[in-house]
Amino acid sequence: MPALPATGSVGRSATPLAEDFAAELVELAVRGMRRGPATPQLEALAAQGFAVLKGPLAMPTPRGTELAGEMLRLPSGSAEEQRVRALYETFLPINRRLRDVCTAWQCHPDGSANDHSDAAYDAAVRDDLDDVHEAVAPVLRRLAPVLPRTGGYLTRLEAALERLDDGDHSWLASPMFDSYHTVWMHLHQELLLALGVSRAEDAELEERLVAETRDAG
Amino acid sequence: MSVSGRASRAGSSLGHGLIPYGLIPYGQGRARGLDAAALGTHGFQMDELISLGLPTVAGLTVPVADAESLTDPDLAMAAVELLQQLAGRRLAHGERPMLVRLTASAPVPVAGLPPDLPVVGLAPHNRDAVMKVIARDRVLHEVWGTMLRSIGEHGLGVAGAAMDDLMFDVTDPCEQVPALLELIAAEAQAPFPDDPAGQLAVAARAMLARWQTPRAKRARRTQKLPADLPLALHVQALVLGPWDLSGFGTATSRDPETGAFRPTGTFYRGVRRSAPRPPRPEDLSAVPGGAGLLESALLTLEQHFAAPAALDFELRDGELALLSARPERAAGLAAVRLAVDLVNAGARAERAAVRQVRPADVQELLHPQLRLTGTETELVRGLPASAGAACGEMVLSSDAAVSRAAEGVPVVLVATETTPADLPGLLASAGVITAAGGLASHAAVVARGVGVPAVCGAGGLRIDAASGTATAGDRTLCEGDMVALDGRTGAVYTGQVEISAARPPRELETVLGWADTLRKLGVRANADTGRDARTAVELGAEGIGLCRTEHQFLGERLPLIRRVILAADPEAERRALDALAEAQREDFRELLRGTGSRPVTVRLLDAPMHEFLPAPGRAGDAEAEERAEELREANPMLGVRGVRLALLHDRLYPAQAEALFGAWLDVRAEGVEPELEVMIPLVSLPEELTAAARQVRAAAEAVAARAGIDVSAVPYRIGSMVETPRAALLAGELARTAQFLSFGTNDLTQLTYGFSRDDVERRVLEPYVAGGLLAASPFERLDADGVGALIEIAVQRARAVRPDIKLGLCGEHGGDPASIELCDRLGLDYVSCSPGRVPVARLAAAQATCAAQEGRTP
């Protein structure tokens, strides 16, 4: 196992990790887990207590998540933070719509499982997904100059759409690979880490923003 | 009225005026011989609703052939004039003004239609008059802005991204509208028209162009509809009324939970629109005048569709108008209840009801559920997020879930909410409970995605990771305590709760009762214990089609059977067998009591040798070790198994048979007389069957002699499993000895394909199915071409020798509707499936019979 190299620097704050290790840790924290054979970087992260390896799975430890958060965190009170914060607040109501689309894809409104035998139903949900995608695209376009790592999300979302349109239903909401929902969750997690927002704050804010949209008028 | 071009040609009369060609008022299409091909599904449906006597919105259709001409301001003007006559109102005029809504439909139902353009006619100069009536500035501007965005892009050629950016940066809808109008004036060749006819013409152009976008074409492609599918346009009156007396909504006829007739739906105040999302919905009790307004319309529609009905409605000044109606897809309990209600109302025959319910609906009602005794403590209640029931040790972290599950302990993951980091834990858990989040939360989406039962948003639950506890009210659970959840009701209980198949609701019993009168194929169940047998009988099984006696030899009795197999001499073997006999007799008594006076097929021991052999070094002494070593096989599934083992240890089957006959005498004394069928497994030579049958007969004679009765007082049939292709081909020979044959289609499929199921299922069958080489796994759906052909040969040859031979199928296929249909076609007498699948099999068998009688596939 390679030893961890001496201090390097990546992202915004000084870190005790060299660039590729830092990038690996950030990726792990954003994804929540990785599946597949452990890389030397992952093994090194595990040795340092930043990750745990369980069979084919790698997960960040709380320390690892914390460190990744520090690396992604935008300076508090900075113009960048304010910009991303505004975009994040636009993102949240769209986030709710995406989750509703995933739910509709998995279940009919009566709660029964969607077995994808009704092409018109699926096409209607797929059409709603286009609305969601159209709504999130301007957010991502504005996000990329401020948070360079987010530049790839639009492409990854579109790759999932392409697989979905090739006829594999699982590319919308399956948690097992980089489906539309999975990529979206990574984006969401990255925003939370960049802004230092907890999941609880996030849920509360989303609820409030969605309610405001509804109550307006 | 100034009308030019084709619009002036012809017409019929409405009141005193002439209706221009190409404009068909709602309700008048049929009279002109027009159907959905011309009117679109919406125009056709409006005719239908009006002929049913239902109130509809005022409107007209521009048929498919003329849709393009609505982009001509002259015809648009004529449409506006006609609409004003139909609605009895003037555009944006007076105290009760109206606007125009443009919608579209195609000749066939299709998803992905262009969104409605809801406020055509609204302009800066009449804005204030409209606002005065509805008194909701922001709502109206949002709708207006969205419509301008759509018409701007598709009707006037303004770049969508430019308008998106504008709407992104100017967030107040009241400011968006003037900014959008300015942008359109600058970017388009002409400003956005002020007059209603001009607006309607450009709206029509936008709608037709939107229908040709790549997005709309993709929707048609995924629905396998032609790319050039045409559109009919519909011009509706948007009659404005005061906020408190006006609104719109959707209603369905059935309660989604119970399936009972009860109008259920949502009501919104204000102007109807699809985007942006309407304001907070209220339930139907908020409808001015009450939900009762909708009841008679829904009842009429339900009988018309023979399905639960859904409708979109609008309400102006307390007056109801329908915008659309459709049959709802009924599922689960709602489907079953509806089928029964329609029969009871005389609207459907029983046979139609049986055909209408889908096997999946039946299965859905039989989801595993908690077997509640009434003594459980309900910890908390949340939302039913993912169906199914689970019980396990409470764990509070993904890590703990993974570790405990790896030790084989069922766990329930309890968390405030989950994130992608919790995925490994979710996958490892038997169930998931979250305190926060709704039906669309991460936990709910993932749990459904992987089929794990889940309760989400159990708001009363507080989780303290530091102390490893979860608290609800005054009750605190520690990590490791047992917790149970029902993903169908949202209930969470403390303690161990048993999980079992659900009892069918009353309406399902009714439908299954009708199915029983229709089907030809018998339905039995596979049951190894008295408890299984009772469950099967409760669910309607006519008997037991397969009792696997293997379990009598496993568990704590394994040392005994090991002694039989490793016995140094016949005496040691006999002693070991005697020890087994009494235990077996008790097992059989339980089974026979559970079965009652019904047929029961008991399959004598069929387990591969390796299941009985001790692990190397564990045989006891060196001699036994050596014998065990000799018996180890390279391929146990094809080795000394079934009848082969019995012929090598010729006391084995007699011992089992004696225990069975003895048990039968015991239960007969209690007044129960099961019809015994003794079945010999893994036969491939008719001679094997003859030899095994001789052993069974001798056993019956021995039991009769010991009881001092004639052997004819112990009635039984002897039969054979057909699991090898050779047995199928030699079924005629087998039928000389066998009074019944039972197709073991799992092994028969393995041996016909040369598949080892455990090895090929993931690595071969999944990619084959994904790649289209196979339509379905042959282990899930009986292979009609290969295995089915073997069964067909066997059926013919067996019946040629013994016309009254009973032929059945036992195995998982017996619960699969498509396989059941094949069994019906092949002329089998019964199928036998797991107890939980019995209701599905009863329904599927009836549907197969109906389909065969009507010469179609079910």
Side-chain angles (χ1 to χ4, degrees):
Chain A
M1 182 185 308
L4 279 185
T7 314
S9 164
V10 72
R12 285 151 218 293
S13 26
T15 78
L17 296 178
E19 202 156 321
D20 56 338
F21 293 88
E24 186 81 25
L25 180 60
V26 164
E27 192 65 24
L28 189 61
V30 164
R31 286 176 171 265
M33 60 167 281
R34 303 205 86 160
R35 195 188 287 274
T39 60
Q41 285 92 335
L42 283 174
E43 281 176 356
L45 289 171
Q48 292 290 303
F50 294 123
V52 284
L53 304 178
K54 281 194 174 145
L57 296 181
M59 289 168 274
T61 59
R63 261 184 72 206
T65 307
E66 197 183 320
L67 179 58
E70 282 167 21
M71 290 189 279
L72 283 175
R73 181 80 176 89
L74 293 166
S76 188
S78 65
E80 289 160 304
E81 190 199 37
Q82 283 172 18
R83 182 80 184 123
V84 172
R85 176 83 194 187
L87 290 167
Y88 161 70
E89 291 190 3
T90 316
F91 168 82
L92 283 180
I94 311 172
N95 184 50
R96 170 67 60 91
R97 286 163 59 192
L98 185 267
R99 287 191 282 125
D100 288 342
V101 165
C102 290
T103 302
W105 192 248
Q106 294 173 320
C107 301
H108 286 276
D110 63 11
S112 62
N114 179 14
D115 61 4
H116 301 291
S117 60
D118 182 346
Y121 178 84
D122 277 3
V125 180
R126 174 65 187 84
D127 204 50
D128 288 345
L129 180 62
D130 262 345
D131 287 338
V132 170
H133 191 72
E134 275 178 16
V136 84
V139 179
L140 286 170
R141 282 198 294 269
R142 284 165 172 73
L143 207 49
V146 204
L147 280 183
R149 261 187 55 89
T150 60
Y153 282 114
L154 202 51
T155 322
R156 287 174 62 202
L157 288 171
E158 275 158 8
L161 283 181
E162 210 164 288
R163 304 291 290 265
L164 179 66
D165 290 335
D166 282 347
D168 188 342
H169 301 127
S170 51
W171 281 88
L172 208 171
S174 172
M176 304 308 288
F177 40 80
D178 279 4
S179 68
Y180 198 89
H181 178 258
T182 302
V183 175
W184 187 283
M185 289 304 298
H186 297 165
L187 162 66
H188 191 181
Q189 180 72 5
E190 181 137 9
L191 288 173
L192 295 182
L193 290 173
L195 294 169
V197 174
S198 78
R199 280 275 161 185
E201 289 164 336
D202 173 77
E204 202 178 301
L205 183 60
E206 179 181 308
E207 192 54 46
R208 190 156 57 75
L209 290 170
V210 169
E212 272 172 17
T213 327
R214 281 195 196 126
D215 289 341
Chain B
M1 184 189 313
S2 143
V3 175
S4 71
R6 67 181 305 187
S8 64
R9 283 186 282 129
S12 67
S13 66
L14 172 96
H16 305 292
L18 274 180
I19 297 177
Y21 185 87
L23 303 178
I24 317 285
Y26 285 169
Q28 296 190 13
R30 259 186 204 184
R32 301 180 193 200
L34 299 178
D35 57 13
L39 299 172
T41 52
H42 173 75
F44 184 68
Q45 182 174 61
M46 286 292 127
D47 276 7
E48 212 174 5
L49 297 182
I50 289 169
S51 74
L52 288 169
L54 298 171
T56 61
V57 69
L60 58 91
T61 294
V62 187
V64 159
D66 300 294
E68 197 68 44
S69 43
L70 192 62
T71 62
D72 171 355
D74 287 339
L75 185 69
M77 173 69 85
V80 169
E81 293 285 343
L82 176 57
L83 190 66
Q84 294 185 130
Q85 289 181 47
L86 292 167
R89 298 228 186 171
R90 306 292 300 167
L91 257 144
H93 178 84
E95 283 189 10
R96 291 287 187 272
M98 70 171 225
L99 292 170
V100 174
R101 173 169 48 220
L102 182 66
T103 80
S105 70
V108 293
V110 53
L113 285 168
D116 293 0
L117 298 172
V119 288
V120 174
L122 191 57
H125 68 83
N126 60 26
R127 189 197 83 103
D128 291 344
V130 171
M131 229 57 90
K132 220 171 111 188
V133 180
I134 67 166
R136 287 298 190 281
D137 240 27
R138 192 185 162 94
V139 172
L140 193 71
H141 278 95
E142 265 178 17
V143 180
W144 194 359
T146 309
M147 183 181 83
L148 290 175
R149 158 75 181 76
S150 185
I151 297 179
E153 179 177 3
H154 302 294
L156 296 167
V158 179
M163 288 185 287
D164 282 344
D165 283 347
L166 183 154
M167 295 173 87
F168 198 91
D169 296 328
V170 182
T171 49
D172 181 351
C174 301
E175 291 171 25
Q176 269 177 7
V177 167
L180 276 170
L181 285 170
E182 217 172 282
L183 179 69
I184 290 171
E187 300 283 321
Q189 286 124 353
F192 195 76
D194 264 353
D195 64 305
Q199 285 193 15
L200 182 58
V202 71
R205 197 191 311 154
M207 199 158 256
L208 293 169
R210 170 67 170 70
W211 186 234
Q212 298 307 330
T213 57
R215 169 178 172 173
K217 286 184 173 166
R218 188 212 56 228
R220 268 167 271 169
R221 195 170 56 244
T222 57
Q223 292 166 89
K224 301 197 167 51
L225 291 169
D228 58 357
L229 191 70
L231 276 190
L233 298 177
H234 312 284
V235 186
Q236 295 175 351
L238 179 74
V239 178
L240 300 171
W243 184 261
D244 56 342
L245 286 177
S246 307
F248 63 98
T250 59
T252 55
S253 56
R254 298 264 154 182
D255 185 313
E257 288 269 310
T258 65
F261 181 85
R262 186 173 74 81
T264 311
T266 48
F267 179 67
Y268 303 89
R269 311 242 167 211
V271 178
R272 183 173 183 272
R273 65 221 169 116
S274 47
R277 302 194 137 203
R280 189 183 291 283
E282 299 174 73
D283 66 35
L284 293 183
S285 61
V287 172
L293 269 182
L294 297 158
E295 247 171 50
S296 72
L298 286 167
L299 266 175
T300 306
L301 288 167
E302 217 175 59
Q303 302 237 339
H304 176 67
F305 292 136
L311 53 79
D312 293 314
F313 66 95
E314 211 168 41
L315 208 69
R316 298 292 152 211
D317 288 350
E319 209 171 292
L320 178 71
L322 303 192
L323 295 165
S324 71
R326 60 202 161 270
E328 276 284 86
R329 174 183 171 282
L333 190 54
V336 176
R337 286 228 163 116
L338 179 80
V340 173
D341 285 358
L342 288 173
V343 172
N344 290 343
R348 273 285 177 286
E350 292 175 2
R351 186 187 176 92
V354 167
R355 280 177 33 198
Q356 185 181 339
V357 175
R358 297 172 315 156
D361 292 325
V362 173
Q363 198 51 47
E364 175 130 352
L365 292 177
L366 299 170
H367 249 289
Q369 62 180 32
L370 298 175
R371 181 164 281 207
L372 298 176
T373 60
T375 59
E376 291 77 13
T377 309
E378 186 174 305
L379 179 68
V380 69
R381 212 164 248 272
L383 302 166
S386 176
C391 181
E393 268 189 32
M394 180 175 89
V395 290
L396 297 180
S397 70
S398 181
D399 263 7
V402 172
S403 323
R404 286 301 278 156
E407 293 159 22
V409 178
V411 295
V412 172
L413 178 63
V414 179
T416 305
E417 61 218 318
T418 64
T419 70
D422 297 315
L423 184 58
L426 273 159
L427 294 176
S429 300
V432 180
I433 301 166
T434 65
L439 292 176
S441 63
H442 176 261
V445 169
V446 171
R448 287 191 295 267
V450 295
V452 172
V455 170
C456 291
L461 201 61
R462 282 187 315 285
I463 290 142
D464 183 354
S467 66
T469 58
T471 306
D474 55 2
R475 208 165 283 279
T476 296
L477 291 187
C478 297
E479 231 177 347
D481 287 351
M482 295 301 284
V483 61
L485 65 135
D486 186 334
R488 194 155 277 282
T489 63
V492 177
Y493 301 93
T494 60
Q496 175 85 48
V497 183
E498 209 184 306
I499 292 169
S500 65
R503 292 297 310 273
R506 193 166 36 86
E507 289 85 350
L508 180 55
E509 296 279 14
T510 307
V511 172
L512 293 176
W514 295 333
D516 290 345
T517 64
L518 293 169
R519 65 187 162 88
K520 283 198 327 238
L521 203 55
V523 175
R524 297 193 192 180
N526 305 338
D528 300 344
T529 64
R531 210 188 106 179
D532 284 355
R534 270 189 298 279
T535 306
V537 169
E538 277 171 20
L539 293 175
E542 290 150 29
I544 302 306
L546 176 66
C547 165
R548 290 160 291 226
T549 53
E550 283 80 68
H551 81 276
Q552 300 177 340
F553 293 86
L554 297 174
E556 59 196 24
R557 297 180 195 152
L558 192 57
L560 294 176
I561 183 70
R562 208 167 268 166
R563 271 165 53 199
V564 175
I565 289 175
L566 299 179
D569 53 69
E571 179 52 23
E573 186 189 22
R574 193 190 58 75
R575 276 200 312 276
L577 278 169
D578 283 349
L580 269 174
E582 196 42 43
Q584 287 182 62
R585 186 158 166 167
E586 181 49 39
D587 287 344
F588 282 132
R589 270 197 294 266
E590 272 306 300
L591 174 78
L592 297 180
R593 283 188 192 117
T595 307
S597 301
R598 298 179 177 82
V600 51
T601 310
V602 175
R603 182 177 74 187
L604 300 182
L605 184 68
D606 176 27
M609 177 75 87
H610 71 287
E611 288 187 18
F612 301 127
L613 291 179
R618 290 293 191 68
D621 56 55
E623 226 177 298
E625 195 70 54
E626 198 174 308
R627 281 194 295 278
E629 195 44 52
E630 276 171 22
L631 293 174
R632 269 183 243 289
E633 296 171 319
N635 197 343
M637 297 311 286
L638 297 176
V640 183
R641 232 189 99 180
V643 70
R644 302 169 194 169
L645 180 66
L647 296 185
L648 295 179
H649 293 266
D650 61 4
R651 284 295 308 146
L652 199 56
Y653 278 4
Q656 274 198 297
E658 282 180 34
L660 177 62
F661 293 134
W664 186 83
L665 286 175
D666 297 341
V667 300
R668 195 189 56 169
E670 299 164 11
V672 181
E673 267 192 58
E675 300 166 33
L676 283 187
E677 300 179 341
V678 182
M679 181 154 74
I680 311 300
L682 208 73
V683 170
S684 47
L685 308 170
E687 292 77 9
E688 288 170 328
L689 178 63
T690 322
R694 207 177 306 127
Q695 293 180 354
V696 172
R697 284 196 203 102
E701 272 157 24
V703 170
R706 273 203 296 278
I709 54 174
D710 190 80
V711 70
S712 64
V714 188
Y716 63 93
R717 293 195 187 91
I718 281 190
S720 173
M721 289 287 286
V722 177
E723 297 161 278
T724 66
R726 191 170 201 278
L729 295 170
L730 294 183
E733 297 302 310
L734 294 177
R736 293 187 199 287
T737 306
Q739 293 155 293
F740 67 91
L741 295 178
S742 182
F743 295 93
T745 47
N746 187 41
D747 273 314
L748 190 56
T749 301
Q750 295 204 78
L751 295 174
T752 302
Y753 278 91
F755 278 155
S756 152
R757 182 172 182 176
D758 292 342
D759 296 316
V760 299
E761 203 142 44
R762 274 202 73 81
R763 294 176 54 194
V764 178
L765 296 184
E766 278 185 18
Y768 273 21
V769 170
L773 264 69
L774 281 171
S777 160
F779 294 106
E780 281 158 22
R781 184 176 306 166
L782 193 55
D783 156 44
D785 300 335
V787 181
L790 275 173
I791 296 176
E792 194 171 13
I793 292 171
V795 168
Q796 282 167 5
R797 294 187 180 172
R799 291 229 168 98
V801 171
R802 190 190 288 267
D804 65 345
I805 192 164
K806 264 212 264 185
L807 301 171
L809 174 147
C810 59
E812 282 168 62
H813 289 123
D816 168 57
S819 308
I820 290 171
E821 198 262 333
L822 179 58
C823 292
D824 187 71
R825 259 192 290 141
L826 291 171
L828 298 190
D829 295 304
Y830 67 88
V831 292
S832 184
C833 56
S834 68
R837 295 291 290 184
V838 165
V840 172
R842 289 162 68 194
L843 181 74
Q847 291 179 341
T849 307
C850 293
Q853 286 165 354
E854 290 152 30
R856 55 176 179 82
T857 50

